[in-house]
């Protein structure tokens, strides 16, 4: 019997203490600590209901577990064989408890390839990875396939870069293979900068060996002897697990000199990012790894020609790498059958925002947004209305109701005015103002623009200022034209991918929510009630009974009125926090 | 550069030398060296940058250029209880901005500032990846999930009595 405890960052953060430790203590008290093993795994994906504990072999899935529940799990489930009802997941629609995760809507439509080991194995134990076909693919590449057949397999699988660009991985490898040089490099881009995306972190935390194995395969295929992982310093747990995994792989002769006795040498080093979104761009990332400012340079030359230290370099992202050992093991045809013709395999998404089941999911390409948001995601929080879903992060766009049945793949998302990006998917409801959302992303871009080229450095700042003006209620009709024109200039003339895509949130919200922009500018109104300068709170005299609840709750004491008398809000002092509206039981507060 | 004047002791200088040596005084490892140095000192004032420059064989201007380019590096000391509010998209749509406003209001400091008694500082983070817990606030290494503006005073209260 095994107890699997989620050790992902999300669950880690929400447990008031250490669940694994509490379980071990409870087992010890009952004298079972020798028979039952507590394993800390990577992310299970169902972050909304974390912290999660899974019992094997009966597959019982416990949600929202706290350390104080450890004793009841041991006493009831392990000793008496009775499931702990109160910790089981309750299906919100059917109102019944489900103990097997495979039967939950959240997991039913998922196919886990990149996340195959997350939440299954102990990431700090290489033997568990090996037990699940780990390092078999590397053996096959070194012993049987050789470089050309490996690259051919990658090409046939149709795998495309999961970092956002969607460039065919096999082709990228071939370029790096063909370019002759005394030294070549493999780089893993783990600088997950998209706010709201955490798939790469989960893979590194939950299955670091899959990335190490794939990088070694990549090294052999292109003729490189050194790999570098460029990882965010903000991910301390992922760094720790990766370092441990590297040590173990070296100990087992799977990394270092003479890998698996094949005569091939390969080593992997870590380089830390330091918080610069632009470093997700290949050329900027390479400069950062060289100890420079992370500024991009013009392509060509592409990294496959002249990359790290000016040598041929292949850059792939974490999720792309995580797919590779499986493709080698199961074959290109198996992989190519999953998903769409042009976008094969699966994609991991970080589903977040106003959706019931926040978490990490992996679905076949071609799954529709509706399936993701409503079936897997369980619909919109608090029964509100779906308004938009933002994909592709600051480079992507907002998709609406009319796109819900579009199959998700690289090409369809671009056609719909957004992009795949690294896989962040933020769901928004009727309370989200789309002008403010566009402003939010531009605020991000302005801060993250490296400043090298003028369109991005100055243009995005101007875009932000215009959006700010509109949300402040000072917009003029010509501002909308300015937004349009400026957006297209920035897109056309910026140096790198950051600037070329930064106006996308503005363009896509203008396209899909034009009336909202007009409303802000012409009527000076924000229907979502989020732009504070475009609204004010008022007390409806007929409804107010003078219960004083609002006056007591007001953080700035701007509500006056005697008990049982109609109250009044001082508009000068009001900070529009909305507390009065939330506490009023008599519907006596309105927004005008 | 920064207005804070820092006097470095010999042992501080030795520490920086030791860190640089761990990375073979390699100019390529500048960012890793800066990470370790900031880990140790808490921030990277000009005086420290000068020594890092010398030890990694790059110009002071380049070190300064790198320090100011990356948001992770800071030239001013953070508070003893650094408060970081996640302003990633998932937290944003779940109300991180109102939480940030409340922290600023209650502590009377802006983002990037440290309170006069050196106790608190406010910073914004871009996604800690705990989107299931949005909005997320971190105080030092401790994570608080599903924070509402109402909960801000409770969080601050936890640290009021601490030194």
């Amino acid at each position: 019997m095994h107890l699997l405890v989620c050790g992902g960052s999300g669950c880690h953060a929400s447990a008031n203490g250490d669940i694994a430790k509490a379980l071990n203590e409870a087992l010890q008290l009952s004298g079972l600590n020798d028979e039952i093993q507590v394993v800390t795994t990577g992310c299970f994906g169902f972050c909304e209901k974390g912290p999660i504990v899974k019992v094997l072999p009966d597959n019982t899935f416990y949600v929202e577990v706290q350390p104080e529940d450890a004793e009841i799990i041991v006493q009831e489930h392990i000793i008496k064989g009775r499931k702990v009802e109160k910790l089981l997941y309750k299906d919100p629609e059917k109102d019944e408890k489900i103990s097997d995760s495979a039967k939950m809507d959240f997991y039913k439509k998922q196919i886990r390839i990149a996340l195959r080991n997350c939440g299954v194995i102990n990431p700090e134990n290489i033997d568990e990875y090996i037990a699940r076909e780990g390092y078999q693919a590397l053996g096959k590449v070194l012993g049987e396939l050789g470089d050309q057949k490996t690259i051919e397999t990658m090409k046939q699988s149709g795998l495309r870069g999961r970092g956002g660009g969607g460039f065919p991985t096999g082709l990228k490898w071939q370029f790096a293979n063909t370019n002759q040089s005394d030294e070549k490099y493999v780089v893993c881009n783990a600088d997950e900068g998209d706010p709201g995306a955490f798939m790469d972190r989960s893979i590194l935390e939950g299955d670091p060996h899959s990335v190490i194995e794939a990088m070694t395969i990549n090294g052999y295929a292109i003729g490189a002897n050194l790999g570098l992982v460029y990882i965010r310093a903000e991910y301390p747990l992922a760094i720790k697990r990766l370092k441990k995994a590297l040590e173990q792989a070296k100990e087992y002769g799977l990394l270092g000199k003479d890998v698996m006795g094949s005569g091939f040498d390969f080593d992997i080093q870590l380089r830390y990012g330091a918080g610069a979104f632009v470093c997700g761009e290949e050329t900027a990332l390479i400069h950062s790894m060289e100890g420079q400012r992370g500024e991009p340079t013009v392509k060509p030359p592409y990294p496959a020609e002249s990359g790290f230290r000016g040598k041929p370099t292949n850059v792939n992202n974490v999720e792309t790498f995580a797919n590779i050992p499986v493709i080698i093991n199961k074959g290109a045809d198996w992989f190519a059958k999953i998903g769409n013709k042009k976008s094969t395999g699966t994609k991991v998404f970080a589903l977040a925002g106003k959706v019931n089941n926040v978490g990490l999911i992996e679905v076949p390409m071609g799954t529709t947004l509706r399936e993701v948001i409503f079936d897997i995601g369980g619909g919109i929080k608090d029964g509100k209305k779906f308004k938009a879903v933002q994909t592709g992060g600051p480079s992507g766009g907002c998709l609406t109701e009319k796109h819900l049945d579009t199959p998700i793949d690289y090409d369809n998302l671009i056609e719909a005015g957004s992009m795949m990006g690294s896989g962040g998917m933020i769901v928004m409801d009727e309370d989200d103002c789309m002008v403010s959302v566009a402003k939010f992303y531009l605020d991000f871009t302005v801060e993250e623009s490296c400043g090298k080229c003028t369109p991005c450095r100055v243009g995005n700042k101007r875009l932000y200022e215009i959006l700010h003006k509109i949300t402040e209620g000072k917009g003029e009709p010509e501002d909308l034209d300015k937004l349009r024109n400026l957006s297209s200039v920035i897109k056309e003339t910026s140096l790198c991918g950051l600037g070329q895509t930064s106006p996308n949130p503005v363009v896509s919200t203008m396209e899909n929510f034009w009336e909202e922009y007009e409303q802000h500018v012409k009527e000076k109104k924000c229907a979502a009630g989020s732009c504070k300068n475009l609204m004010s709170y008022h007390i409806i005299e007929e409804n107010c009974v003078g219960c004083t609840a609002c006056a007591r709750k007001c953080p700035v004491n701007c509500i006056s009125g005697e008990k049982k008398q109609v109250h009044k809000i001082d508009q000068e002092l009001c900070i529009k926090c909305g507390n009065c509206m939330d506490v009023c039981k008599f519907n006596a507060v309105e927004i005008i | 550069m920064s207005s804070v004047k820092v006097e470095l002791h010999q042992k501080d200088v030795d520490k920086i030398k030791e860190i640089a040596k761990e990375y073979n005084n390699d100019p390529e490892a500048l960012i890793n060296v800066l990470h370790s140095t900031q880990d140790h000192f808490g921030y990277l004032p000009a005086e420290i940058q000068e020594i890092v420059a010398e030890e990694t064989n790059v110009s002071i201007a380049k070190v300064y250029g790198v320090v100011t380019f990356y948001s992770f590096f800071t030239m001013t000391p953070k508070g003893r209880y650094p408060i970081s509010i996640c302003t990633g998209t998932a937290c944003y749509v779940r109300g991180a901005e109102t939480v940030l406003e409340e922290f600023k209001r209650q502590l009377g400091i802006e983002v990037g500032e440290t309170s006069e008694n050196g106790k608190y500082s406010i910073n914004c983070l871009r996604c800690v990846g705990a989107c299931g817990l949005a909005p997320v606030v971190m105080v030092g290494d401790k994570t608080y999930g599903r924070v509402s503006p109402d909960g801000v005073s409770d969080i601050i209260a936890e640290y009021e009595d601490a030194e």
Side-chain angles (χ1 to χ4, degrees):
Chain A
M1 220 172 182
H2 276 75
L3 288 168
L4 305 182
V5 182
C6 177
S9 280
C11 284
H12 222 64
S14 57
N16 298 314
D18 196 336
I19 296 172
K21 201 172 140 216
L23 282 169
N24 270 323
E25 281 166 7
L27 287 169
Q28 199 148 21
L29 275 179
S30 309
L32 292 166
N33 47 322
D34 287 337
E35 287 157 57
I36 292 163
Q37 214 188 341
V38 179
V39 181
T40 306
T41 68
C43 181
F44 283 87
F46 204 174
C47 307
E48 183 75 37
K49 294 285 171 196
I52 285 160
V53 172
K54 194 173 184 176
V55 187
L56 292 181
D58 61 34
N59 255 332
T60 308
F61 196 84
Y62 288 129
V63 297
E64 295 176 329
V65 181
Q66 289 298 325
E68 50 271 27
D69 297 321
E71 212 180 307
I72 188 167
I73 294 178
V74 172
Q75 289 299 329
E76 284 292 306
H77 191 130
I78 305 212
I79 298 177
K80 298 185 188 138
R82 289 196 294 241
K83 285 180 182 169
V84 185
E85 275 288 306
K86 70 160 190 173
L87 296 174
L88 290 177
Y89 172 71
K90 192 164 121 193
D91 186 307
E93 264 179 31
K94 294 179 207 117
D95 205 32
E96 61 185 22
K97 301 263 183 173
I98 304 177
S99 76
D100 184 356
S101 57
K103 294 196 175 117
M104 293 176 191
D105 286 337
F106 182 79
Y107 286 105
K108 254 190 235 164
K109 291 200 168 170
Q110 296 197 43
I111 296 182
R112 290 163 91 92
I113 297 175
L115 299 177
R116 63 195 177 279
N117 289 327
C118 290
V120 179
I121 63 167
N122 175 356
E124 298 191 10
N125 185 347
I126 188 171
D127 292 328
E128 295 200 15
Y129 178 70
I130 292 172
R132 288 181 47 90
E133 300 188 337
Y135 290 103
Q136 269 185 25
L138 178 61
K140 194 169 163 187
V141 166
L142 294 176
E144 183 187 324
L145 294 179
D147 61 338
Q148 290 308 325
K149 271 194 191 153
T150 303
I151 292 174
E152 202 45 49
T153 309
M154 297 317 301
K155 278 162 93 176
Q156 276 172 8
S157 74
L159 178 68
R160 293 169 69 175
R162 299 296 193 238
F167 192 82
T169 306
L171 209 55
K172 216 175 188 178
W173 288 24
Q174 192 184 20
F175 292 147
N177 172 285
T178 321
N179 288 321
Q180 294 303 317
S181 171
D182 53 340
E183 273 174 40
K184 294 183 188 178
Y185 300 98
V186 169
V187 172
C188 172
N189 181 351
D191 187 48
E192 192 167 45
D194 250 7
F198 52 99
M199 56 287 293
D200 293 347
R201 196 209 58 204
S202 293
I203 292 171
L204 289 169
E205 283 178 4
D207 193 16
H209 284 288
S210 67
V211 176
I212 296 173
E213 182 180 6
M215 285 178 74
T216 315
I217 292 172
N218 188 183
Y220 185 73
I222 67 166
N225 299 106
L226 182 62
L228 298 123
V229 183
Y230 184 79
I231 185 166
R232 285 183 84 187
E234 289 93 329
Y235 286 175
L237 190 60
I239 293 174
K240 186 186 137 214
R241 296 217 170 122
L242 195 55
K243 277 185 174 168
K244 191 152 193 182
L246 287 171
E247 271 170 37
Q248 291 172 344
K250 275 179 202 162
E251 222 173 88
Y252 277 57
L254 301 166
L255 192 67
K257 285 244 171 278
D258 192 18
V259 177
M260 288 180 164
S262 64
F264 167 63
D265 301 337
F266 194 73
D267 198 11
I268 294 178
Q269 293 177 1
L270 301 189
R271 290 288 151 95
Y272 302 128
F277 178 66
V278 68
C279 290
E281 202 277 343
E282 299 181 312
T283 60
L285 181 149
I286 286 167
H287 293 138
S288 181
M289 288 199 314
E290 292 168 339
Q292 321 265 357
R293 291 163 67 98
E295 288 173 357
T297 36
V298 184
K299 292 195 276 192
Y302 289 90
E305 220 176 299
S306 168
F308 185 62
R309 295 175 182 160
K311 308 284 183 184
T313 304
N314 182 66
V315 186
N316 278 134
N317 117 307
V318 174
E319 190 189 333
T320 314
F321 277 126
N323 276 295
I324 287 163
V326 190
I327 295 174
I328 304 281
N329 279 334
K330 298 199 175 180
D333 293 341
W334 171 83
F335 189 80
K337 274 190 197 127
I338 302 166
N340 279 0
K341 210 165 186 185
K342 280 189 176 166
S343 302
T344 57
T346 57
K347 177 79 192 83
V348 181
F349 291 102
L351 190 58
K354 306 271 183 66
V355 63
N356 277 319
N357 299 335
V358 167
L360 200 66
I361 61 161
E362 182 169 355
V363 290
M365 295 277 187
T367 307
T368 64
L369 284 167
R370 189 185 299 281
E371 288 172 287
V372 169
I373 297 166
F374 290 91
D375 296 345
I376 298 171
I380 310 303
K381 257 204 167 0
D382 304 323
K384 299 230 172 172
K385 204 168 166 274
F386 168 79
K387 184 166 182 178
V389 55
Q390 212 280 349
T391 68
S395 313
C398 287
L399 304 172
T400 64
E401 189 89 44
K402 67 174 188 229
H403 301 111
L404 278 178
D405 293 307
T406 309
I408 306 168
D409 65 30
Y410 290 99
D411 311 299
N412 281 343
L413 285 182
I414 286 180
E415 203 172 303
S418 184
M419 66 185 280
M420 183 74 84
S422 60
M425 210 179 247
I426 313 280
V427 179
M428 299 173 195
D429 70 9
E430 53 196 309
D431 295 339
D432 290 304
C433 159
M434 300 319 278
V435 185
S436 302
V437 167
K439 187 177 99 172
F440 166 81
Y441 279 110
L442 259 298
D443 179 33
F444 179 87
T445 316
V446 168
E447 208 171 291
E448 294 298 338
S449 169
C450 77
K452 186 169 180 176
C453 73
T454 319
C456 179
R457 182 183 66 243
V458 181
N460 283 316
K461 180 91 182 150
R462 295 289 99 81
L463 271 187
Y464 174 81
E465 285 165 357
I466 299 171
L467 289 167
H468 185 68
K469 188 175 153 197
I470 295 174
T471 57
E472 291 280 293
K474 295 172 188 151
E476 294 153 68
E478 54 268 31
D479 286 333
L480 298 179
D481 293 329
K482 278 188 201 157
L483 280 179
R484 274 226 173 99
N485 294 336
L486 191 52
S487 293
S488 71
V489 172
I490 297 171
K491 281 175 81 130
E492 277 163 32
T493 55
S494 289
L495 172 69
C496 83
L498 193 151
Q500 286 158 11
T501 56
S502 60
N504 280 353
V506 183
V507 175
S508 82
T509 49
M510 283 185 98
E511 163 101 26
N512 292 313
F513 298 95
W514 175 249
E515 57 308 330
E516 217 166 298
Y517 276 85
E518 278 198 315
Q519 203 185 32
H520 276 75
V521 171
K522 291 187 181 153
E523 299 167 37
K524 308 286 183 227
K525 259 188 159 175
C526 171
S530 117
C531 296
K532 291 191 172 165
N533 271 17
L534 300 180
M535 61 187 226
S536 54
Y537 289 89
H538 294 269
I539 289 175
I540 308 168
E541 292 191 6
E542 302 88 77
N543 292 2
C544 179
V545 297
C547 73
T548 74
C550 58
R552 277 181 281 133
K553 195 77 191 172
C554 176
V556 291
N557 295 320
C558 75
I559 306 179
S560 55
E562 294 294 314
K563 232 182 195 173
K564 297 193 179 166
Q565 301 285 320
V566 172
H567 282 49
K568 196 169 165 29
I569 299 175
D570 185 341
Q571 298 299 335
E572 293 274 296
L573 294 177
C574 177
I575 56 165
K576 294 160 185 173
C577 68
N579 277 353
C580 50
M581 196 167 187
D582 292 340
V583 291
C584 183
K585 292 184 182 134
F586 306 95
N587 286 325
V589 183
E590 62 176 345
I591 297 175
I592 297 178
Chain B
M1 283 201 190
S2 135
S3 57
V4 194
K5 264 270 165 228
V6 185
E7 239 178 89
L8 291 180
H9 300 291
Q10 189 56 42
K11 69 171 181 14
D12 298 331
V13 176
D14 290 343
K15 180 72 198 173
I16 303 170
K17 286 186 173 172
E18 185 192 317
I19 291 170
K21 207 167 170 212
E22 266 173 53
Y23 292 98
N24 303 323
N25 303 73
D26 182 1
E28 210 177 68
L30 176 62
I31 292 172
N32 282 9
V33 171
L34 289 172
H35 269 298
S36 298
T37 311
Q38 183 167 297
D39 265 355
H40 183 80
F41 293 96
Y43 67 121
L44 298 167
E47 292 77 3
I48 286 182
Q49 292 179 34
E50 282 170 23
I51 301 169
V52 170
E54 208 170 293
E55 293 304 309
T56 49
N57 297 314
V58 292
S59 70
I60 299 174
K62 195 184 151 188
V63 175
Y64 179 68
V66 168
V67 168
T68 49
F69 184 84
Y70 296 98
S71 61
F72 200 85
F73 298 133
T74 171
M75 288 178 59
T76 46
K78 285 187 183 170
R80 283 195 299 285
Y81 301 103
I83 298 168
S84 310
I85 291 108
C86 178
T87 47
T89 323
C91 287
Y92 169 78
V93 301
R94 284 199 183 177
E97 207 151 308
T98 57
V99 174
L100 173 62
E101 289 303 317
E102 194 57 24
F103 269 109
K104 289 202 298 202
R105 203 179 66 83
Q106 291 202 16
L107 296 173
I109 50 174
E110 287 296 310
V111 175
E113 289 181 355
T114 305
S115 63
E116 259 173 46
N117 56 11
K119 203 162 180 182
Y120 304 107
S121 55
I122 300 182
N123 259 307
C124 289
L125 279 176
R126 297 291 189 194
C127 199
V128 289
C131 305
L133 301 172
V136 175
V137 171
M138 288 183 79
V139 181
D141 287 335
K142 190 165 174 191
T143 312
Y144 297 84
R146 301 192 175 117
V147 179
S148 68
D150 285 348
V152 168
S153 44
D154 289 343
I155 295 179
I156 296 174
E158 269 185 50
Y159 300 90
E160 274 303 282
D161 297 331
E163 248 321 287

